[in-house]
Amino acid sequence: MKKCRGRPKCPRRVEQTPDITYFKPRGVPLADLEVVSITVEELEALRLVDVEGLKQEDAAIRVGISRRAFWEDLKAARMKIALALSTGKAIEIKGGNYISAESADISEDANS
């Protein structure tokens, strides 16, 4: 069993959770494929930088984490996606340590 070192990951603030959570190469049954998993917060990092065009510093503020932690999420997501695309593996989006931005906004309003 792997021991956890250092501080635990703080929950990331995620604005959009995906409706579709699996992508696979066309024409290959899922049972025949290896699967690469990315977390919801890794997908959010990709979305903010690569789709919305935010700088990593601005995206880290929106997610509520340090620039370094954001960079690590983004780096992990890009590596996993590149691996899956270049080797013909399925991509599964699941899990992670995140909170919905909407629920975070509601709890902040209640505390005001």
Side-chain angles (χ1 to χ4, degrees):
M1 188 165 122
K2 187 176 176 183
K3 285 189 176 182
C4 241
R5 293 186 170 215
R7 293 174 48 182
K9 279 177 89 171
C10 73
R12 275 70 166 141
R13 184 181 174 138
V14 172
E15 294 173 2
Q16 293 182 6
T17 54
D19 294 328
I20 298 168
T21 58
Y22 257 97
F23 295 88
K24 69 175 201 65
R26 185 174 173 183
V28 182
L30 187 57
D32 295 342
L33 291 172
E34 288 185 46
V35 177
V36 173
S37 293
I38 69 168
T39 63
V40 173
E41 62 265 24
E42 289 170 343
L43 177 64
E44 182 73 353
L46 278 174
R47 187 185 72 78
L48 290 173
V49 172
D50 296 336
V51 176
E52 288 198 14
L54 294 179
K55 292 181 181 175
Q56 289 183 27
E57 184 174 358
D58 297 330
I61 291 168
R62 279 198 23 200
V63 175
I65 58 175
S66 71
R67 286 181 300 190
R68 180 183 171 106
F70 184 84
W71 177 80
E72 289 171 355
D73 286 351
L74 183 61
K75 179 180 165 188
R78 286 178 171 166
M79 189 273 304
K80 291 174 185 178
I81 298 295
L83 174 69
L85 293 176
S86 63
T87 59
K89 296 179 180 182
I91 301 168
E92 176 184 40
I93 305 163
K94 71 172 188 177
N97 185 13
Y98 68 95
I99 56 172
S100 163
E102 293 147 1
S103 64
D105 291 341
I106 292 169
S107 65
E108 286 174 6
D109 291 341
N111 292 332
S112 298

